[in-house]
């Protein structure tokens, strides 16, 4: 019996050899992050400004600017850290797992926790976690292309010597067929793979559509920024003739305009988004999935295990004449015994399959056979062509083999060569059972003279014994999640290997309509691609389907421009998972192959988690859009305030580098933290999926964002003109205009945090991070305005509280206008959205 290691042995080997992992290529250290931050154009500009001030002999100003750089480096550093930590945590969770014996029990552990002398259990679709010597194998084939480049799979078996590679499986290679048990002799850098090098770390994901759109947007804004800055320098020089001041002003303009926030915000949103998804039990393997989640229109899910719990129990049996409920088993023990015995003998001894487990449990409860008494001489495994599993037993002192089978009823009917009358009779019973959402299998027996066994199961003369019906309870969260999908315009398709009537009954139980369309795998094969594409919009259930047919389903849906998310677990699911826009691998049951083909991994295998992830995907996307739109908007007044003095020499300088730094210190954390943590929009799952062909920043969005920014600028100009009329000094004017900018900005943020809820609702939601970030700058500003030295540095003079009334009045009117615009556009939106959801359900 295989015992495996005990905890103290594990600890000893762990201490000796370390974790089974390769050193991550150049882990970002503090210095590197600082270097990255300093390389940003923003900091180069800041430093330049500081030095120009120093050159001018304005040391105080210079020192303040340079120390501001330190503060910004610190903030950026903090954000980077948070991002890195989030990603690191995910990496550990999503690393391949391994099945090992620990204290005699097969245990799933993260691949990095495998140690020397562990006993590995290798199954089809798994990646080998460490270098190991085969102890035992059954038709084991390994794909070693990762190490050798050779794509043909290699057969492995016990060789009892460490030199012979036929007896060794290597870390990182893939089990393509069969099973095996192997003992680990090298982990981490000591493995063959570790010695070759860490080439796998270098693979970088391609840009997501959003990332590429952002890149081109940033490039354009950058060009615009450079052009404007040069114009400012020239205009300033010609209007005032002071070249150094002109350059300084140009530098501060570029600092204000350059869109350095965009890439930072995008990275942070995707990284923290991945971390948020992981809290909903969904791991992100590719960041593009986060974008696509909110656009998904069709969700294809497995029935067994995803919609149901995959916890089977026997509900009733049919012995050929009577249907017997579980409650009456004791009273009918003579009738159920032969039936259950057949099922037991046709099952694996220590099975993990829920159906076989249920059979064994019933066997124990009613004191029936245990398989150990007899010797299995041959097993015919269940396959996608023949859905039946057959065991051949050798009974001593008999000239016959005894054969037991169980499987899909139709298959067993065929194997038993039933006549038409019997077939119809049993199918009637089968259908009645299946209508109760039960999974039904049939069992049969045969005997065979001791000579060469037939190649196929159909070579036996099976006698029909009866039907066994299992209940697989529906996950309680599923009906609500289905309802949510329906409201959100997401079509749910169930794909199952199970019997059509059962699938249909389960679908109805979870809230599918009565007229839902169903097609079987057999019928699917008869349709060509065009015919399938035509019919697919009417089909919601695919029954008696084999995994290889999933690919066709995905392709047909894609041909209809659907955005497809699909779940899967087996090796055969991989092509479909890869082809889907979002492949979702099952974390519990899923093979490594399925995980590697997927962009998301579902840790709890639960349908409701997928829906929760879609909801979160929509929210992340919304918040990102709002953040970007805000960044664009807030740059309008900044650009305006730097441009105006350059164009008109009678307007005093309103924004100096220090002011811009102060602004950046508000804008940066607000757009990455406040918007990121904002709650979801109203009715987020009551609107149709986002149209993926629509640009993230289309003309409309761009326009709205510009208008908001220009409104704020207009308000500032009005304030400026009023102060001018009241005859304030330059310093007083600057203080009033800057304060208006800060308060106007706070109101702009408050209004932009939600696109469906009023700013009051946003405040009441208590997004503390956001509120804190809004209050701090106002307090800081008032401190500056009350300390003479600070006033001097900022070029301010406190005009007295009374004069701030115009700021409040104008900011409040701005808020009112912004909120009105929001309210109005929501009303328009609701009209069109309601229409389109109705269209979708027709
Ligand atoms: P699902 O999509 O529900 O997981 P499967 O492809 O696993 O369906 O199984 C399809 C059918 O094959 C089942 O409905 C059952 O009739 C039969 N089957 C599955 N597992 C076994 C088994 N261990 N023994 C016999 N028959 C099985
Ligand atoms: Mg299954």
């Amino acid at each position: 019996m295989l015992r495996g290691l005990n905890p103290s042995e594990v600890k000893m080997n762990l201490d000796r050899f370390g974790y089974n992992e390769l050193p991550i290529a150049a882990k970002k250290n503090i210095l590197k992050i600082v270097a990255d931050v300093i390389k940003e154009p923003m900091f180069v500009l800041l430093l330049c400004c500081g030095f120009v001030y120093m050159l001018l002999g304005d040391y105080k100003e210079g020192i303040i600017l340079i120390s501001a750089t330190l503060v910004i480096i610190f903030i950026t550093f903090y954000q980077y850290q948070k991002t890195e930590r989030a990603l690191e945590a995910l990496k550990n969770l999503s690393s391949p797992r391994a099945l090992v014996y620990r204290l005699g029990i097969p245990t799933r552990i993260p691949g990095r926790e495998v140690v020397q002398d562990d006993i590995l259990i290798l199954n089809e679709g798994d990646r080998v976690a460490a270098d190991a010597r085969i102890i035992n194998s059954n038709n084991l084939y390994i794909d070693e292309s990762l190490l050798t480049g050779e794509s043909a799979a290699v057969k492995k078996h016990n060789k009892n010597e460490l030199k012979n590679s036929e007896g060794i499986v290597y870390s990182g290679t893939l089990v393509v067929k069969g099973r095996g048990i192997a003992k680990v002799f090298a982990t981490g850098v000591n493995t063959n793979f570790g010695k070759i090098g860490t080439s796998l770390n270098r693979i970088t994901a391609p840009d997501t559509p959003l990332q590429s759109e952002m890149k081109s947007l940033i490039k354009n804004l950058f060009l615009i920024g450079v052009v404007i800055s040069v114009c400012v320098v020239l205009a300033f020089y010609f209007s005032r003739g002071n070249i150094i001041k002109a350059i300084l002003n140009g530098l501060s303009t570029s600092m204000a305009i350059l869109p350095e926030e965009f890439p930072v915000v995008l990275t942070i949103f995707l990284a923290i988004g991945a971390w948020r998804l992981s809290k909903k039990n969904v791991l992100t393997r590719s960041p593009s999935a986060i974008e696509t989640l909110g656009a998904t229109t069709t969700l294809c899910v497995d029935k067994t295990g995803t919609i149901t719990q995959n916890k089977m129990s026997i509900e009733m049996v049919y012995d050929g004449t009577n249907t017997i409920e579980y409650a009456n088993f004791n009273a009918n023990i003579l009738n159920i015994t032969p039936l259950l015995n057949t099922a037991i003998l046709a099952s694996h001894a220590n099975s993990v399959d829920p159906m076989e487990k249920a059979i064994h449990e019933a066997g124990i409860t009613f004191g029936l056979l245990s398989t150990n008494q007899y010797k299995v001489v041959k097993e015919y495994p269940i396959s996608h062509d023949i859905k039946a599993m057959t065991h051949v037993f050798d009974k001593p002192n008999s000239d016959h083999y005894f054969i037991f089978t169980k499987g899909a009823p139709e298959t067993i009917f065929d194997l038993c060569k039933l006549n038409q009358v019997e077939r119809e009779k049993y199918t009637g019973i089968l259908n009645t059972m299946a209508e109760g959402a039960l999974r039904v299998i049939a069992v049969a027996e045969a005997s065979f003279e001791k000579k060469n066994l037939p190649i196929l199961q159909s070579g036996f003369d099976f006698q029909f014994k009866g039907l066994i019906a299992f209940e697989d309870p529906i996950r309680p969260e599923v009906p609500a999640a289905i309802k949510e999908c329906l409201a959100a315009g997401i079509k749910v398709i169930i794909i199952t290997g199970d019997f059509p009537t059962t699938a249909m009954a389960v679908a109805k139980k979870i809230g599918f309509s009565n007229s839902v369309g169903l097609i079987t795998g057999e019928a699917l094969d008869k349709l060509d691609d065009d015919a399938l594409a035509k019919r697919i919009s009417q089909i919601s259930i695919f029954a008696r389907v084999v995994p290889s047919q999933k690919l066709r389903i995905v392709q047909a849906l894609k041909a209809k421009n659907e955005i497809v998310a699909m779940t899967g677990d087996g090796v055969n699911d991989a092509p479909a998972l890869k082809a889907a826009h979002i492949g979702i691998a099952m974390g519990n049951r899923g093979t490594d192959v399925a995980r590697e083909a997927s962009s998301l991994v579902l840790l709890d295998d639960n349908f409701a988690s997928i829906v929760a992830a879609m909801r979160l995907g929509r929210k992340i996307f919304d918040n990102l859009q709002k953040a970007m739109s805000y960044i664009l908007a807030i740059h309008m007044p900044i650009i305006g305030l730097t441009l105006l003095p350059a164009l008109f020499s009678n307007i005093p300088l309103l924004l100096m580098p220090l002011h811009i730094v102060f602004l950046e210190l508000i804008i940066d954390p607000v757009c990455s933290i406040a918007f990121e943590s904002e709650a979801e929009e109203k009715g987020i799952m009551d609107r149709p999926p986002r149209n993926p062909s629509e640009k993230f920043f289309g003309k409309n969005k761009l326009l709205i964002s510009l208008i908001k920014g220009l409104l704020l600028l207009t308000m500032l100009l009005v304030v400026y003109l009023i102060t001018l009329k009241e005859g304030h000094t330059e310093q007083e004017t600057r203080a009033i205009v800057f304060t208006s900018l800060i308060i106007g900005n706070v109101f702009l943020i408050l209004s932009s945090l939600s696109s469906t809820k009023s700013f009051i609702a946003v405040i009441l939601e208590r997004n503390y991070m956001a509120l804190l970030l809004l209050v701090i700058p106002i307090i800081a500003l008032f401190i500056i305005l009350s300390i003479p030295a600070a006033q001097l540095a900022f070029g301010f003079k406190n005009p007295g509280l009374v004069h701030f009334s115009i700021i409040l009045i104008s900011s409040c009117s701005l808020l009112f206008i912004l909120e009105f615009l929001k309210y109005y556009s929501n009303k328009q939106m609701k009209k069109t959205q309601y229409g389109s959801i109705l269209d979708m359900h027709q």
Side-chain angles (χ1 to χ4, degrees), residues 770-782:
L771 296 182
L772 196 68
L773 287 171
L774 294 185
V775 173
I776 289 176
I778 296 183
I779 295 175
L781 186 65
F782 277 98

PDB file of all heavy atoms in Angstrom, residues 770-782:
ATOM      1  N   ALA A 770     -12.541  57.016  -1.245  1.00  0.00           N
ATOM      2  CA  ALA A 770     -12.822  58.127  -2.150  1.00  0.00           C
ATOM      3  C   ALA A 770     -13.088  59.404  -1.356  1.00  0.00           C
ATOM      4  O   ALA A 770     -12.535  60.459  -1.658  1.00  0.00           O
ATOM      5  CB  ALA A 770     -14.023  57.781  -3.035  1.00  0.00           C
ATOM      6  N   LEU A 771     -13.908  59.289  -0.315  1.00  0.00           N
ATOM      7  CA  LEU A 771     -14.263  60.487   0.440  1.00  0.00           C
ATOM      8  C   LEU A 771     -13.024  61.098   1.097  1.00  0.00           C
ATOM      9  O   LEU A 771     -12.836  62.315   1.100  1.00  0.00           O
ATOM     10  CB  LEU A 771     -15.328  60.148   1.485  1.00  0.00           C
ATOM     11  CG  LEU A 771     -16.654  59.673   0.860  1.00  0.00           C
ATOM     12  CD1 LEU A 771     -17.685  59.390   1.932  1.00  0.00           C
ATOM     13  CD2 LEU A 771     -17.190  60.699  -0.126  1.00  0.00           C
ATOM     14  N   LEU A 772     -12.180  60.225   1.611  1.00  0.00           N
ATOM     15  CA  LEU A 772     -10.954  60.700   2.243  1.00  0.00           C
ATOM     16  C   LEU A 772     -10.101  61.471   1.235  1.00  0.00           C
ATOM     17  O   LEU A 772      -9.591  62.557   1.513  1.00  0.00           O
ATOM     18  CB  LEU A 772     -10.174  59.488   2.766  1.00  0.00           C
ATOM     19  CG  LEU A 772      -9.083  59.786   3.769  1.00  0.00           C
ATOM     20  CD1 LEU A 772      -9.703  60.272   5.061  1.00  0.00           C
ATOM     21  CD2 LEU A 772      -8.245  58.538   4.018  1.00  0.00           C
ATOM     22  N   LEU A 773      -9.987  60.878   0.045  1.00  0.00           N
ATOM     23  CA  LEU A 773      -9.163  61.499  -0.986  1.00  0.00           C
ATOM     24  C   LEU A 773      -9.742  62.840  -1.435  1.00  0.00           C
ATOM     25  O   LEU A 773      -9.042  63.673  -1.977  1.00  0.00           O
ATOM     26  CB  LEU A 773      -9.028  60.561  -2.189  1.00  0.00           C
ATOM     27  CG  LEU A 773      -8.111  59.365  -1.956  1.00  0.00           C
ATOM     28  CD1 LEU A 773      -8.203  58.380  -3.098  1.00  0.00           C
ATOM     29  CD2 LEU A 773      -6.684  59.845  -1.780  1.00  0.00           C
ATOM     30  N   LEU A 774     -11.037  63.037  -1.217  1.00  0.00           N
ATOM     31  CA  LEU A 774     -11.656  64.303  -1.605  1.00  0.00           C
ATOM     32  C   LEU A 774     -11.514  65.346  -0.507  1.00  0.00           C
ATOM     33  O   LEU A 774     -11.397  66.541  -0.778  1.00  0.00           O
ATOM     34  CB  LEU A 774     -13.137  64.085  -1.926  1.00  0.00           C
ATOM     35  CG  LEU A 774     -13.398  63.219  -3.158  1.00  0.00           C
ATOM     36  CD1 LEU A 774     -14.878  63.149  -3.463  1.00  0.00           C
ATOM     37  CD2 LEU A 774     -12.646  63.771  -4.354  1.00  0.00           C
ATOM     38  N   VAL A 775     -11.530  64.895   0.728  1.00  0.00           N
ATOM     39  CA  VAL A 775     -11.484  65.849   1.837  1.00  0.00           C
ATOM     40  C   VAL A 775     -10.051  66.342   2.078  1.00  0.00           C
ATOM     41  O   VAL A 775      -9.827  67.525   2.341  1.00  0.00           O
ATOM     42  CB  VAL A 775     -12.049  65.187   3.117  1.00  0.00           C
ATOM     43  CG1 VAL A 775     -11.850  66.094   4.307  1.00  0.00           C
ATOM     44  CG2 VAL A 775     -13.526  64.881   2.917  1.00  0.00           C
ATOM     45  N   ILE A 776      -9.092  65.433   1.934  1.00  0.00           N
ATOM     46  CA  ILE A 776      -7.698  65.797   2.226  1.00  0.00           C
ATOM     47  C   ILE A 776      -7.227  67.033   1.445  1.00  0.00           C
ATOM     48  O   ILE A 776      -6.690  67.968   2.048  1.00  0.00           O
ATOM     49  CB  ILE A 776      -6.754  64.596   1.991  1.00  0.00           C
ATOM     50  CG1 ILE A 776      -6.980  63.565   3.084  1.00  0.00           C
ATOM     51  CG2 ILE A 776      -5.292  65.047   2.001  1.00  0.00           C
ATOM     52  CD1 ILE A 776      -6.176  62.298   2.893  1.00  0.00           C
ATOM     53  N   PRO A 777      -7.429  67.084   0.119  1.00  0.00           N
ATOM     54  CA  PRO A 777      -6.910  68.254  -0.595  1.00  0.00           C
ATOM     55  C   PRO A 777      -7.547  69.559  -0.125  1.00  0.00           C
ATOM     56  O   PRO A 777      -6.875  70.586  -0.080  1.00  0.00           O
ATOM     57  CB  PRO A 777      -7.257  67.978  -2.058  1.00  0.00           C
ATOM     58  CG  PRO A 777      -8.138  66.810  -2.072  1.00  0.00           C
ATOM     59  CD  PRO A 777      -7.962  66.081  -0.806  1.00  0.00           C
ATOM     60  N   ILE A 778      -8.837  69.515   0.229  1.00  0.00           N
ATOM     61  CA  ILE A 778      -9.486  70.753   0.677  1.00  0.00           C
ATOM     62  C   ILE A 778      -8.855  71.221   1.977  1.00  0.00           C
ATOM     63  O   ILE A 778      -8.527  72.397   2.143  1.00  0.00           O
ATOM     64  CB  ILE A 778     -11.002  70.523   0.840  1.00  0.00           C
ATOM     65  CG1 ILE A 778     -11.598  70.190  -0.537  1.00  0.00           C
ATOM     66  CG2 ILE A 778     -11.666  71.760   1.422  1.00  0.00           C
ATOM     67  CD1 ILE A 778     -13.080  70.008  -0.540  1.00  0.00           C
ATOM     68  N   ILE A 779      -8.624  70.271   2.880  1.00  0.00           N
ATOM     69  CA  ILE A 779      -7.984  70.637   4.147  1.00  0.00           C
ATOM     70  C   ILE A 779      -6.576  71.175   3.885  1.00  0.00           C
ATOM     71  O   ILE A 779      -6.180  72.220   4.402  1.00  0.00           O
ATOM     72  CB  ILE A 779      -7.919  69.411   5.083  1.00  0.00           C
ATOM     73  CG1 ILE A 779      -9.341  68.995   5.450  1.00  0.00           C
ATOM     74  CG2 ILE A 779      -7.101  69.723   6.327  1.00  0.00           C
ATOM     75  CD1 ILE A 779      -9.419  67.740   6.275  1.00  0.00           C
ATOM     76  N   ALA A 780      -5.839  70.466   3.021  1.00  0.00           N
ATOM     77  CA  ALA A 780      -4.472  70.891   2.720  1.00  0.00           C
ATOM     78  C   ALA A 780      -4.464  72.309   2.172  1.00  0.00           C
ATOM     79  O   ALA A 780      -3.634  73.140   2.554  1.00  0.00           O
ATOM     80  CB  ALA A 780      -3.841  69.924   1.719  1.00  0.00           C
ATOM     81  N   LEU A 781      -5.436  72.575   1.308  1.00  0.00           N
ATOM     82  CA  LEU A 781      -5.487  73.897   0.691  1.00  0.00           C
ATOM     83  C   LEU A 781      -5.721  74.975   1.750  1.00  0.00           C
ATOM     84  O   LEU A 781      -5.086  76.034   1.734  1.00  0.00           O
ATOM     85  CB  LEU A 781      -6.606  73.918  -0.345  1.00  0.00           C
ATOM     86  CG  LEU A 781      -6.667  75.188  -1.171  1.00  0.00           C
ATOM     87  CD1 LEU A 781      -5.426  75.317  -2.032  1.00  0.00           C
ATOM     88  CD2 LEU A 781      -7.900  75.207  -2.048  1.00  0.00           C
ATOM     89  N   PHE A 782      -6.629  74.697   2.681  1.00  0.00           N
ATOM     90  CA  PHE A 782      -6.910  75.708   3.696  1.00  0.00           C
ATOM     91  C   PHE A 782      -5.719  75.901   4.626  1.00  0.00           C
ATOM     92  O   PHE A 782      -5.462  77.009   5.092  1.00  0.00           O
ATOM     93  CB  PHE A 782      -8.198  75.363   4.459  1.00  0.00           C
ATOM     94  CG  PHE A 782      -9.393  75.831   3.677  1.00  0.00           C
ATOM     95  CD1 PHE A 782     -10.112  74.964   2.870  1.00  0.00           C
ATOM     96  CD2 PHE A 782      -9.761  77.181   3.707  1.00  0.00           C
ATOM     97  CE1 PHE A 782     -11.172  75.413   2.111  1.00  0.00           C
ATOM     98  CE2 PHE A 782     -10.831  77.625   2.950  1.00  0.00           C
ATOM     99  CZ  PHE A 782     -11.543  76.751   2.147  1.00  0.00           C
TER     100      PHE A 782
END
